[in-house]
């Protein structure tokens, strides 16, 4: 992965954390205003849209510090996963990533046989580093799904990603 990708990962992780913090604050403050303010009726629809009010009321119980921690943990795990993709192996006395191996081959520094040998070694090392992180990501997504009331992370992602009112099974009928 390029330095540009690494920088993007860092920015993305920071934005995720800031968004999670902002969303938690928005929901907590909005809920308090909508349930305790003497001006709640005026605020609803005029200051905070009806759609956002409904979202706040539906999600207040979910957006706990524990939920924010899970979302933060997922962001950190995804960053760790991306970093594991940059695993290096020893290639002719030099520590190299998959991209480095490709560059060495393109520059004529490796034969095809050596190229494929090093690529197999690199992907094996990547798999060994990525697998445990991936397992922790799956566990965190399952935990998040349960907290949101879904039976599985797949169900949660389907609903949140596509927002459809029909199931994948119904789509195949």
């Amino acid at each position: 992965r390029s330095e540009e990708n690494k920088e993007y990962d860092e920015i993305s992780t920071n934005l995720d954390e800031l968004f999670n913090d902002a969303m938690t604050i928005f929901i907590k403050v909005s809920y308090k205003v909508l349930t305790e303010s003497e001006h709640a009726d005026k605020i609803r629809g005029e200051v905070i849209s009806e759609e956002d009010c409904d979202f706040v009321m539906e999600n207040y119980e979910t957006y706990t510090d524990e939920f924010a921690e899970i979302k933060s943990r997922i962001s950190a795990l995804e960053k760790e996963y991306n970093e594991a993709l940059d695993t290096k192996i020893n290639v002719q006395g030099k520590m190299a990533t998959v991209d480095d191996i490709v560059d060495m081959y393109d520059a004529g520094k490796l034969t095809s046989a050596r190229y494929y040998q090093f690529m197999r070694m690199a992907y094996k090392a990547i798999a060994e580093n990525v697998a445990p992180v991936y397992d922790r990501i799956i566990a965190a997504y399952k935990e998040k799904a349960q907290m949101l009331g879904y039976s599985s992370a797949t169900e949660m992602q389907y609903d949140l990603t596509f927002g459809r009112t029909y199931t994948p099974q119904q789509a195949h009928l």
Side-chain angles (χ1 to χ4, degrees):
R1 292 176 333 112
S2 69
E3 288 301 316
E4 189 174 288
N5 285 345
K6 291 177 190 175
E7 183 180 349
Y8 170 81
D9 289 344
E10 185 69 30
I11 291 169
S12 178
T13 300
N14 290 338
L15 285 175
D16 280 348
E17 289 175 7
L18 289 171
F19 177 79
N20 292 338
D21 291 346
M23 183 59 75
T24 300
I25 292 168
F26 169 76
I27 288 174
K28 287 181 177 183
V29 170
S30 297
Y31 184 85
K32 188 170 181 110
V33 167
L34 291 170
T35 58
E36 297 176 15
S37 170
E38 62 185 71
H39 304 290
D41 291 340
K42 292 180 183 177
I43 291 169
R44 186 178 192 86
E46 292 181 26
V47 177
I48 302 174
S49 72
E50 287 292 335
E51 185 178 343
D52 284 345
C53 288
D54 292 343
F55 178 81
V56 166
M57 300 309 282
E58 291 169 11
N59 291 284
Y60 175 73
E61 295 296 324
T62 303
Y63 273 81
T64 62
D65 291 339
E66 181 184 7
F67 183 74
E69 186 277 324
I70 290 171
K71 290 180 77 173
S72 180
R73 187 167 13 116
I74 289 170
S75 292
L77 286 167
E78 288 172 345
K79 180 181 176 187
E80 185 178 342
Y81 176 90
N82 288 331
E83 289 170 355
L85 294 175
D86 283 333
T87 297
K88 294 182 179 189
I89 63 163
N90 189 332
V91 177
Q92 299 177 338
K94 176 187 174 198
M95 297 308 288
T97 65
V98 167
D99 288 342
D100 296 331
I101 296 167
V102 170
D103 292 344
M104 293 169 84
Y105 177 73
D106 289 345
K109 296 178 181 177
L110 295 174
T111 64
S112 291
R114 296 292 281 169
Y115 168 76
Y116 288 112
Q117 176 190 9
F118 289 130
M119 290 299 276
R120 280 191 300 274
M121 291 169 54
Y123 281 118
K124 182 180 179 201
I126 289 169
E128 289 170 356
N129 290 331
V130 165
V133 179
Y134 188 74
D135 288 343
R136 293 194 322 266
I137 289 172
I138 297 300
Y141 270 102
K142 284 180 181 177
E143 191 177 343
K144 178 181 174 185
Q146 289 173 346
M147 190 172 277
L148 292 174
Y150 293 98
S151 62
S152 69
T154 303
E155 179 188 345
M156 175 187 70
Q157 285 305 113
Y158 184 83
D159 186 44
L160 297 177
T161 302
F162 298 111
R164 299 204 172 115
T165 58
Y166 53 88
T167 69
Q169 293 78 19
Q170 292 170 326
H172 292 287
L173 294 179

